Amino acid sequence: MDITKLTVHELQEKLEKKELTVTQIVQAYANRIEEKEEKVQAFLSINTEEALEEAKKIEEEGRSTSLAGIPIGIKDNICTKGEKTTCASKMLENFISPYDATVIENLKKEKLISLGKLNMDEFAMGGSTENSAFQITKNPWNLHTVPGGSSGGSAAAVAADMVPWALGSDTGGSIREPAAFCGVVGLKPTYGLVSRYGLVAFASSLDQIGPITKDVTDSAILLNLLAGHDEKDSTSAEVEKKDYTKALKQDVKGMKIGVPKEFFGEGINTEVKEKLEEAIEIYKNLGAEIEEFSLDIAKYSLAAYYIIACAEASSNLGRFDGIRYGYRTKNYTDLEELFKNSRSEGFGPEVKRRIILGTYVLSSGYYDAYYKKAQKVRTYVKNEFNKAFEKYDVILTPTSPTVAFAINSKCNNPLEMYLADICTVSINIAGLPAISIPCGVDSNQMPVGMQLIGKPFAEETILQTAYTFEQTIKFRETYSPKFKE
Ligand code: GLN
């Protein structure tokens, strides 16, 4: 048996039946990382030694929770006490977090074991993980292509079986797009369902932490640990605790699924479209009611997203001044120069581009023309989704217009890179939950992702819709990454 190929619920079962020990599991992952990390480059820090010690301790004390001893990987913008949290930026290269994010506290309560911190686009800005200041993570399906981003390290590590599951964050698609590119499952929860306390802020009104997993069942299990009110996050919702695994029923009979035709139009790759059309047929055969409708928001959403996200980023990243956090230049004679040079040397080009754009759209002369207008578009997008959800339980779209693209093919053209988010950003703008699951591979054996969008706090509905599909097509049993060189 190859331990690292198992899902978390399979690992749990084996632990319960005493067919495996925690140490065996952690050791298997340590070996797998040793074997694959050189090629994939998903980790910014590796904790396998500490993880093995923790495994030993858990075994000595006895497993006190059902997930005790299960390993996990963490995106490097989520604070972990006493460890580096770099956001893949030179600015935080040596930053050791003095506290744990709420989600990390939750994982620790359950006695999960961290295998390390995962690579990402700098400050979560990007869609390919090429904006990391430290390394480019490779897509395990084809090492010449990107894993997607910004949670590319998380998705690649799960796809390469170096971690059984991982945490990502999603501001405009950063969980779903890399999940789609790497053939794994990524869930972006409703805004407010998961605490953002300890997530280094990019765009606070859009950011959410969520699970990247091998299958839908694991997604529900991990969401159980993440979801819940947190008084340390004032935007955290007061919702009752749920067991999301109860939603995993194989049934979509009579479910109303809306397919917005604008998400299948110009710019969507033909093979991606074909796979999605096959998926739609599968849902029809399973008894779902599918209807095409018009939801003409994608192009406005993208423009509004890049205005709102940059505006919030320019404000959030003001704290990195060379004094309070992180990198400080050696090259200064007065305070102003200290600020200027620390920021100039500490931030990479994409982060600077966004700070400049964000400062511009918030400036007094342009605020009404850009920022205020973008907020109006945001309200419009929310209303359009509300209208659609009067008719449909779930909305189905591609996750990304293409499969994973070649490394270096878009990084010199930011606008083209931004276009890769066309199918995902409107969901963050409206604060909705959405899941990406693999729905097949294209002719080059690269995975294609399908996005299922739900009403606010209807995670159960999208999990059920995704689960039913997954049980029908059995993607994981049929395809696996080949580390093509
Ligand atoms: N690719 C999008 C961006 O660059 C989304 C990033 C994210 O979700 N963190 O802004």
Side-chain angles (χ1 to χ4, degrees):
M1 169 183 42
D2 185 345
I3 295 174
T4 62
K5 294 258 177 297
L6 301 175
T7 59
V8 170
H9 55 95
E10 288 162 347
L11 288 173
Q12 255 181 317
E13 216 182 284
K14 302 235 179 278
L15 281 168
E16 269 149 36
K17 289 192 186 146
K18 305 219 182 304
E19 288 169 19
L20 281 179
T21 66
V22 173
T23 303
Q24 279 171 326
I25 293 174
V26 175
Q27 188 61 58
Y29 279 102
N31 297 347
R32 181 74 179 176
I33 292 169
E34 186 76 35
E35 182 195 335
K36 292 291 180 208
E37 174 59 3
E38 207 183 316
K39 288 207 169 111
V40 179
Q41 309 249 298
F43 285 85
L44 290 177
S45 47
I46 298 179
N47 272 350
T48 43
E49 260 172 52
E50 295 87 336
L52 279 165
E53 273 165 37
E54 255 178 86
K56 223 168 107 195
K57 220 170 104 196
I58 289 174
E59 264 165 32
E60 280 161 14
E61 289 168 359
R63 293 180 64 247
S64 54
T65 70
S66 73
L67 288 166
I70 299 286
I72 190 163
I74 316 283
K75 186 176 181 180
D76 209 17
N77 60 349
I78 301 174
C79 287
T80 46
K81 189 175 175 175
E83 291 167 15
K84 273 195 195 176
T85 298
T86 69
C87 291
S89 179
K90 193 174 165 194
M91 186 56 92
L92 291 176
E93 188 168 6
N94 298 310
F95 175 70
I96 308 266
S97 172
Y99 67 94
D100 275 327
T102 297
V103 292
I104 299 297
E105 279 181 3
N106 295 350
L107 302 185
K108 285 187 176 168
K109 265 185 229 143
E110 288 296 317
K111 301 248 184 271
L112 267 80
I113 299 179
S114 166
L115 290 170
K117 304 292 291 281
L118 296 160
N119 196 24
M120 53 185 280
D121 285 299
E122 184 175 5
F123 286 102
M125 298 174 190
S128 67
T129 311
E130 292 165 296
N131 293 337
S132 165
F134 306 121
Q135 67 207 32
I136 296 180
T137 299
K138 317 294 184 303
N139 188 316
W141 294 74
N142 176 342
L143 300 169
H144 299 286
T145 66
V146 301
S150 65
S151 311
S154 300
V158 174
D161 299 322
M162 293 195 287
V163 297
W165 58 8
L167 294 186
S169 72
D170 191 313
T171 306
S174 280
I175 289 177
R176 290 159 285 156
E177 188 232 22
F181 281 11
C182 293
V184 294
V185 175
L187 172 70
K188 180 249 168 227
T190 307
Y191 184 77
L193 183 66
V194 175
S195 168
R196 290 183 297 108
Y197 180 75
L199 169 68
V200 179
F202 160 15
S204 314
S205 76
L206 303 160
D207 299 339
Q208 271 291 284
I209 295 171
I212 296 183
T213 57
K214 291 189 190 205
D215 72 358
V216 178
T217 304
D218 281 359
S219 187
I221 297 173
L222 190 45
L223 187 63
N224 279 351
L225 301 191
L226 305 178
H229 179 67
D230 179 14
E231 57 184 32
K232 292 193 200 123
D233 171 3
S234 61
T235 58
S236 146
E238 299 259 8
V239 282
E240 49 171 328
K241 269 272 186 203
K242 281 184 189 162
D243 178 0
Y244 292 96
T245 62
K246 294 218 170 98
L248 303 173
K249 288 186 250 16
Q250 221 173 314
D251 181 15
V252 289
K253 274 194 202 72
M255 187 174 278
K256 293 197 177 59
I257 303 181
V259 177
K261 60 173 189 281
E262 289 80 3
F263 283 71
F264 290 79
E266 201 194 329
I268 308 290
N269 172 281
T270 16
E271 287 198 58
V272 169
K273 222 185 286 182
E274 272 167 31
K275 285 294 144 203
L276 266 293
E277 278 157 8
E278 283 171 34
I280 291 170
E281 280 309 305
I282 291 172
Y283 274 122
K284 274 189 195 155
N285 293 336
L286 290 167
E289 288 174 31
I290 309 269
E291 192 177 280
E292 199 180 81
F293 75 110
S294 173
L295 184 66
D296 198 9
I297 52 166
K299 51 183 188 285
Y300 315 113
S301 299
L302 197 64
Y305 168 82
Y306 274 96
I307 290 172
I308 296 168
C310 293
E312 294 184 21
S314 73
S315 157
N316 275 326
L317 272 58
R319 73 192 64 170
F320 301 104
D321 53 9
I323 300 205
R324 284 175 289 186
Y325 297 93
Y327 181 82
R328 179 179 302 169
T329 182
K330 293 197 175 60
N331 174 17
Y332 64 95
T333 47
D334 58 25
L335 188 62
E336 199 180 317
E337 231 177 55
L338 168 67
F339 290 152
K340 234 192 232 167
N341 292 348
S342 297
R343 288 169 68 82
S344 302
E345 293 160 24
F347 289 135
E350 183 60 28
V351 176
K352 282 182 197 159
R353 183 176 301 122
R354 298 206 187 191
I355 292 173
I356 292 169
L357 200 74
T359 312
Y360 177 80
V361 299
L362 288 175
S363 62
S364 62
Y366 294 97
Y367 182 90
D368 286 346
Y370 294 105
Y371 186 73
K372 204 163 157 196
K373 201 157 172 191
Q375 292 295 4
K376 286 186 183 158
V377 173
R378 186 169 195 170
T379 307
Y380 174 78
V381 169
K382 274 189 195 162
N383 290 341
E384 290 302 292
F385 269 117
N386 284 345
K387 272 195 245 163
F389 281 121
E390 281 170 15
K391 281 177 84 179
Y392 307 113
D393 302 303
V394 172
I395 295 172
L396 183 157
T397 73
T399 306
S400 170
T402 64
V403 296
F405 43 86
I407 291 171
N408 279 331
S409 64
K410 293 195 185 184
C411 43
N412 294 324
N413 187 343
L415 280 181
E416 205 186 315
M417 189 74 92
Y418 297 170
L419 267 176
D421 304 322
I422 188 99
C423 301
T424 47
V425 293
S426 53
I427 286 80
N428 301 69
I429 287 192
L432 302 171
I435 191 166
S436 176
I437 56 168
C439 66
V441 295
D442 75 354
S443 49
N444 293 317
Q445 301 297 305
M446 293 304 282
V448 175
M450 166 169 70
Q451 173 171 249
L452 301 167
I453 312 162
K455 297 175 192 172
F457 302 105
E459 274 74 5
E460 287 155 299
T461 313
I462 54 173
L463 284 166
Q464 180 177 341
T465 315
Y467 179 77
T468 306
F469 184 82
E470 178 188 78
Q471 296 303 310
T472 310
I473 74 151
K474 305 233 173 275
F475 179 86
R476 274 186 66 244
E477 288 82 341
T478 320
Y479 307 103
S480 61
K482 298 286 185 291
F483 301 89
K484 194 170 159 203
E485 294 195 42

